[in-house]
Amino acid sequence: MNNKKYNIVILNHHAGSPDVGGGGRHFDIAKALSEMGHKVAVLASSYNNSKDEYYCDEEIMRHKFNDNLEFIRIRTTPPYKDNIGRFRNYYDYMKKASQFDDFGFVPEIVIASSVHPFSWPAGFEISKRHKAKFIVEVRDLWPLSMYEDFSGIMRKGVFTFFEGLERKYYKLADAIITTAPFAYEYMEEKFNIDKRKVFYIPHGIDLEEFDKNKVKDLNNLESGLEDVLKNNSCITYTGSFSKSEGLPTFVESAKYLKDLDLKFVIVGSGPEEDTMKDIIEAESLENVSIFGIQSKDKIPIILENSKILFCGLKERKAFYYGISKNKFYDYMASKKPIIFASSVRESLIDKSVSGKTIKPNDPLNLANTIREIYKDIDTVGKEYGQNGREYVEKNHTNMRITEQFLNVIDYVSKTSN
């Protein structure tokens, strides 16, 4: 790593930041880079899709966090609740971000992140205008990650379109950053991309912030959730109730554990909620409780007051190339044993010895695994928890992740155009 200071633009449609009640990967990285003396502008949308509202009425919303870091939000249209509206909003982001130039500096490095791949054309246009280095970040293997969401002719059309974007911008990129450890195989096999320009950089965590939040009093939570955690031993899931997470299997496993003094706590929101509630009703599961989505600062309190943590992933083509879930690092930071129901390659839970990885879609096997860990919660469970904490401290702090980003920036800055 050299001592050069860079002018960096990061494109991420959904980038969170504290001024709008959020945060996340690019805020954390941008903040760390800015504190090192690099100038950073993050170009995002002012539309909050989870709440179906805009953060502001203006066309451009700007917020400076320090002398070197500014978040710039552009008003993208239309508001959306379906895939057609979503893609129209993404396309509008691409058009407006492509033309944006008021960064307060001349960009030297442009990082375009595929929350959706329409950021890539926009990032490339900015880099081309300023003769800046162009880095593609792949956080989702589009269109592979959407394969199950489309069918027939539509699936073929979606794949053809997005594979065209992949082929073009992977080749144009000076470097590719991916959060999936084996994504280089997909890029090499399908598009003949030189794996030497593909860099795996997983997600990170602000341990100082996590530790500050985990010691807050339980009364910071809604009363029902507070009561369950305070008065029971709990196995807990936090996050999206999406079809990928294998939550119906988690709920079904509870019917085999009615004899245990153990509550299943599920915190979040998403399309699988009705499915889970149907299972709870059909099986008369009084040992399962579902709560709504909680703010990020409350997750450490919930994990701290749980005994075991659950995460699952259904079989999907995209998962063959590995994953990097933010949830893992929160879970490991909490020093609690983790059960991961997934067939993903080289599970991080196994690699860190922070719990057990089992096959998905098997409620009885999941129940037996829960029973086994719960029985030894004060010995084996404690050891799993300690292993996870040590692993995340060594490999997944925000500073460690930022250093890896800076290594890639140094690498592209030395390559010729």
Side-chain angles (χ1 to χ4, degrees):
M1 193 182 299
N2 65 41
N3 293 318
K4 177 175 168 53
K5 305 304 177 187
Y6 298 99
N7 295 337
I8 304 166
V9 173
I10 299 174
L11 288 87
N12 175 348
H13 187 128
H14 299 300
S17 56
D19 61 309
V20 294
R25 179 178 177 88
H26 291 120
F27 174 78
D28 293 335
I29 290 168
K31 181 172 180 289
L33 287 170
S34 71
E35 289 169 351
M36 294 176 183
H38 307 281
K39 290 191 176 298
V40 188
V42 179
L43 191 57
S45 169
S46 63
Y47 180 65
N48 182 341
N49 64 297
S50 64
K51 293 186 177 180
D52 190 25
E53 63 185 23
Y54 287 93
Y55 294 124
C56 65
D57 295 327
E58 294 77 23
E59 288 298 314
I60 303 291
M61 171 185 177
R62 309 182 77 114
H63 187 95
K64 292 205 75 165
F65 289 92
N66 58 45
D67 289 343
N68 292 330
L69 172 59
E70 184 173 31
F71 263 63
I72 304 165
R73 297 186 182 276
I74 53 181
R75 188 177 180 86
T76 58
T77 58
Y80 61 86
K81 292 184 178 179
D82 57 25
N83 283 331
I84 293 175
R86 175 164 61 129
F87 288 127
R88 287 174 61 198
N89 190 288
Y90 288 177
Y91 185 76
D92 194 47
Y93 174 84
M94 180 189 73
K95 288 195 305 179
K96 291 173 178 174
S98 296
Q99 298 163 6
F100 192 87
D101 246 359
D102 186 14
F103 300 110
F105 56 72
V106 177
E108 298 171 300
I109 305 290
V110 178
I111 303 171
S113 179
S114 73
V115 174
H116 59 72
F118 289 112
S119 68
W120 301 341
F124 180 70
E125 288 302 314
I126 295 170
S127 70
K128 189 168 63 172
R129 277 200 304 277
H130 296 285
K131 296 183 172 57
K133 295 297 183 178
F134 175 54
I135 298 173
V136 159
E137 184 183 34
V138 183
R139 296 175 66 191
D140 240 344
L141 285 172
W142 286 52
L144 200 59
S145 62
M146 303 190 303
Y147 185 84
E148 295 173 349
D149 298 330
F150 298 91
S151 61
I153 294 173
M154 187 174 182
R155 177 184 290 175
K156 183 178 180 181
V158 168
F159 261 61
T160 300
F161 176 76
F162 283 112
E163 283 182 357
L165 288 181
E166 286 184 303
R167 181 174 289 104
K168 179 176 181 178
Y169 292 100
Y170 289 170
K171 291 186 181 298
L172 286 171
D174 294 293
I176 301 169
I177 292 171
T178 173
T179 58
F182 303 105
Y184 70 90
E185 295 178 357
Y186 169 77
M187 297 171 186
E188 191 175 40
E189 293 163 7
K190 196 165 186 66
F191 304 110
N192 197 30
I193 299 300
D194 186 345
K195 66 180 181 182
R196 291 175 296 182
K197 79 170 188 178
V198 183
F199 299 85
Y200 164 57
I201 304 181
H203 292 294
I205 183 172
D206 184 338
L207 285 175
E208 184 178 344
E209 186 71 13
F210 183 95
D211 290 343
K212 181 179 73 176
N213 286 322
K214 78 176 184 180
V215 297
K216 290 181 179 177
D217 197 282
L218 269 171
N219 63 19
N220 285 283
L221 304 175
E222 61 181 85
S223 59
L225 181 53
E226 176 190 357
D227 289 343
V228 170
L229 291 171
K230 184 180 290 184
N231 298 310
N232 300 276
S233 294
C234 298
I235 177 167
T236 300
Y237 169 88
T238 61
S240 170
F241 298 171
S242 71
K243 291 183 178 181
S244 295
E245 304 294 332
L247 289 171
T249 298
F250 182 52
V251 174
E252 284 185 36
S253 72
K255 69 185 179 183
Y256 301 108
L257 298 171
K258 292 180 179 180
D259 61 304
L260 286 187
D261 178 24
L262 185 67
K263 290 284 189 180
F264 286 63
V265 175
I266 304 170
V267 179
S269 66
E272 288 288 81
E273 183 165 354
D274 288 341
T275 301
M276 291 190 289
K277 287 181 175 178
D278 288 343
I279 297 169
I280 291 169
E281 183 177 356
E283 299 290 346
S284 301
L285 298 176
E286 296 181 2
N287 56 344
V288 182
S289 297
I290 297 176
F291 298 94
I293 193 167
Q294 305 293 307
S295 59
K296 184 178 179 181
D297 65 304
K298 293 180 181 177
I299 299 303
I301 316 171
I302 296 168
L303 303 182
E304 176 70 13
N305 288 277
S306 302
K307 294 290 187 183
I308 304 171
L309 305 176
F310 170 80
C311 182
L313 279 179
K314 292 176 66 178
E315 302 277 4
R316 295 191 74 170
K317 287 179 177 290
F319 297 156
Y320 174 76
Y321 300 100
I323 57 166
S324 176
K325 290 177 76 68
N326 282 315
K327 187 188 323 298
F328 284 160
Y329 313 117
D330 286 340
Y331 279 16
M332 289 195 287
S334 73
K335 298 172 67 172
K336 299 299 164 67
I338 302 162
I339 297 174
F340 183 35
S342 171
S343 297
V344 71
R345 291 165 66 186
E346 295 191 18
S347 159
L348 183 64
I349 305 308
D350 288 344
K351 188 175 180 181
S352 60
V353 199
S354 57
K356 285 202 166 190
T357 301
I358 62 174
K359 293 291 184 183
N361 309 318
D362 188 341
L364 179 57
N365 184 39
L366 174 55
N368 290 337
T369 306
I370 294 169
R371 187 183 294 276
E372 179 185 340
I373 291 179
Y374 187 57
K375 180 184 68 176
D376 295 322
I377 194 69
D378 293 325
T379 54
V380 176
K382 186 175 181 180
E383 185 177 341
Y384 282 149
Q386 188 60 40
N387 289 344
R389 176 69 188 211
E390 290 175 0
Y391 190 88
V392 82
E393 286 176 354
K394 181 178 179 181
N395 299 287
H396 292 282
T397 63
N398 282 338
M399 186 51 65
R400 176 72 183 122
I401 300 308
T402 302
E403 288 169 354
Q404 293 178 53
F405 261 80
L406 200 48
N407 286 339
V408 177
I409 291 170
D410 286 340
Y411 163 80
V412 299
S413 71
K414 295 171 185 173
T415 60
S416 58
N417 287 304

